[in-house]
Amino acid sequence: MTKKVKNPSSKLVIGLAFSCISVIFNTGIFHQIGLTKSTNSQKCNIFAYVTDTDQQGLNVRSGASTNNTILGQIPINETVQVIGAVGNWVQITNASDGFQGTGWVFVPKLGLTTRGYGTNGVNFYVTTSQQSQKLGRIPANTGVKLLSCQGDWAQVEYQGVKGWLTKEDQCGAALTSCS
């Protein structure tokens, strides 16, 4: 006959382990760890403007998730410098008004406009190379949806087509022509 000996310290260790796991899942830390490991962060150097129509402004967060703390807001049409991208989030700095500092915003709340004034528009490409296939032309001074960025290239969507714009063809100011 075998008798099981109950070890109180083993129960304590198991209980603490489950508590830690619960905290990690419930606070969003797990999502941040998974996001960091599962996606590649891209360095960027582009300008965009806020398209979020919320009267409070676009929320700037401490990390790339809605689980992160709101650091401040940026009003509609204000210009920001985008310095990084992870998934559907971009890291911004140098807002023209509102939040001052560096933080993360949800990229569908940003846009940019094409340049190409006095021309028949600008090319957009399959990849971040002017030697890649051209997807077509976007008319000058046309607002496009910002999707992501890589270096000084902006990934945009125009009429349902996703492609890349060179820095020379981007205007990150909402209320000026960038000419």
Side-chain angles (χ1 to χ4, degrees), residues 77-151:
N77 293 330
E78 294 303 323
T79 300
V80 297
Q81 182 178 5
V82 180
I83 58 173
V86 174
N88 288 329
W89 292 83
V90 291
Q91 188 175 31
I92 59 98
T93 192
N94 298 330
S96 57
D97 191 20
F99 174 78
Q100 297 300 305
T102 300
W104 292 85
V105 298
F106 192 52
V107 75
K109 304 292 183 177
L110 297 177
L112 52 83
T113 305
T114 58
R115 290 188 184 215
Y117 307 102
T119 70
N120 61 351
V122 299
N123 292 320
F124 69 126
Y125 301 88
V126 171
T127 68
T128 57
S129 168
Q130 288 180 307
Q131 282 69 48
S132 71
Q133 178 184 351
K134 294 177 186 172
L135 292 168
R137 293 188 71 76
I138 303 174
N141 199 27
T142 299
V144 293
K145 181 178 173 183
L146 182 63
L147 301 175
S148 188
C149 54
Q150 185 176 341

Side-chain angles (χ1 to χ4, degrees), residues 38-69:
S38 67
T39 58
N40 292 327
S41 177
Q42 295 290 330
K43 296 238 184 257
C44 301
N45 185 23
I46 67 168
F47 289 89
Y49 54 84
V50 174
T51 59
D52 188 357
T53 57
D54 185 326
Q55 290 185 353
Q56 299 296 317
L58 173 61
N59 288 333
V60 180
R61 296 186 178 269
S62 60
S65 165
T66 55
N67 293 326
N68 290 101
T69 306

